[in-house]
Amino acid sequence: EMTGCTECEGMASGRMLLSQLRSAVAAHAPRCGAAPAMRTNMPSMAAALRAPARSMSTNSVQPVISKTPNGAMPGTESYAMDPYQGEDAVKNGGRMQPGDPSRRAFTYFMIGGARFVYASIARLTVLKFVNSMNASADVLALASIEVPVAGIPEGGCIVVKWRGKPVFIKKRNEEELADINKVDWKTLRDPQSDKARRIKEEILVVLGVCTHLGCVPISNAGNYKGGWFCPCHGSHYDASARIRMGPAPLNLEVPPYEYIDGGAKVKIG
């Protein structure tokens, strides 16, 4: 009866072969006279037949093929030399020593490449940080303005906006110029001559911010002809925008400007 066991099936096959062999020996022995020898060797032959039956079992341990690190097989001449042991052992287990001369070029290349990458990242970071502190495009667009002055009447004053601040552009007449020129500027609170505050005698360009608390003075008002008056705390400026009365400590500031288009326009900033 078959049980499904591979080892049992192999043993059964071996027994059948052994039985057939015995029958053949019994039939042939009388003719050749080898019966005693055959009977003597029968146990070893039976053992030889059983050996394949055991190797066919799925539970048997399969042989392991041994190899040295250099691939030599047992029984060969190269197998006797183990590169990891004995007199012929390779230093550091066959691996290159740290700082090996043959690897210096590669090591220097890797270190140099890494440092170059780090330096590039640091440079980009610094540039990005510096650029973040620069003025934006809308601020740069207002950095300077151009204002036509040919149409300003004598004694008149216009107000323009520059960098978020009001700017007074006044065209002074002869009476206003005579009034400011008869004053000894050295005796004023903030001594400054009219010539030092303008480019052309008839045109004056000043910031419209009171030097006391930052109020916006009123044009053509106050105690002086063609001057300015700050109603917040009573500061009076003359036609050259110099402080003459009140709590303001300084004259109105003169921004940087220049004439362009043959004097038809003023460029502020």
Side-chain angles (χ1 to χ4, degrees):
E1 182 181 356
M2 301 302 291
T3 60
C5 178
T6 307
E7 187 174 357
C8 295
E9 294 176 357
M11 292 177 66
S13 301
R15 292 190 187 98
M16 293 177 62
L17 292 174
L18 183 59
S19 177
Q20 294 176 2
L21 181 60
R22 285 174 177 171
S23 299
V25 170
H28 182 71
R31 293 195 297 270
C32 66
M38 294 295 293
R39 291 190 185 93
T40 304
N41 296 332
M42 194 64 67
S44 60
M45 295 173 65
L49 290 172
R50 294 191 187 97
R54 293 192 185 96
S55 64
M56 293 174 62
S57 172
T58 57
N59 296 327
S60 62
V61 178
Q62 298 296 327
V64 178
I65 300 175
S66 300
K67 289 185 179 181
T68 56
N70 61 355
M73 294 294 295
T76 63
E77 184 177 353
S78 300
Y79 183 75
M81 187 190 72
D82 187 349
Y84 295 107
Q85 296 178 2
E87 298 179 356
D88 300 321
V90 180
K91 295 182 179 179
N92 199 30
R95 297 183 295 272
M96 290 185 177
Q97 294 285 353
D100 190 276
S102 62
R103 293 178 56 89
R104 286 179 183 173
F106 176 76
T107 302
Y108 292 156
F109 174 78
M110 293 300 297
I111 294 176
R115 289 179 177 176
F116 175 78
V117 172
Y118 295 153
S120 300
I121 294 174
R123 175 179 173 273
L124 293 176
T125 303
V126 172
L127 290 177
K128 189 173 182 180
F129 176 74
V130 172
N131 289 334
S132 66
M133 296 187 293
N134 293 335
S136 58
D138 56 343
V139 174
L140 293 175
L142 297 175
S144 62
I145 58 173
E146 298 178 3
V147 183
V149 296
I152 302 176
E154 288 190 3
C157 180
I158 64 174
V159 183
V160 296
K161 188 176 182 180
W162 174 67
R163 294 184 180 178
K165 299 178 181 179
V167 177
F168 297 146
I169 304 178
K170 182 176 177 61
K171 189 173 186 179
R172 300 177 293 187
N173 54 32
E174 294 295 334
E175 185 178 2
E176 294 169 349
L177 291 174
D179 185 64
I180 62 177
N181 288 329
K182 69 181 181 181
V183 178
D184 185 6
W185 60 269
K186 296 179 182 179
T187 62
L188 300 177
R189 182 180 302 172
D190 184 13
Q192 196 173 24
S193 65
D194 180 71
K195 187 177 181 180
R197 295 174 56 78
R198 45 79 175 173
I199 298 177
K200 290 185 177 181
E201 187 177 21
E202 67 276 11
I203 301 294
L204 180 70
V205 181
V206 293
L207 292 180
V209 180
C210 181
T211 57
H212 181 220
L213 292 177
C215 306
V216 179
I218 301 174
S219 301
N220 295 324
N223 296 340
Y224 301 91
K225 295 179 181 180
W228 288 268
F229 172 68
C230 182
C232 298
H233 300 91
S235 296
H236 295 259
Y237 300 87
D238 61 14
S240 188
R242 299 176 297 191
I243 182 64
R244 302 290 292 272
M245 294 178 60
L250 302 173
N251 304 330
L252 295 184
E253 182 182 354
V254 178
Y257 73 96
E258 62 180 347
Y259 287 92
I260 59 175
D261 295 342
K265 291 182 180 180
V266 170
K267 181 180 179 181
I268 304 173

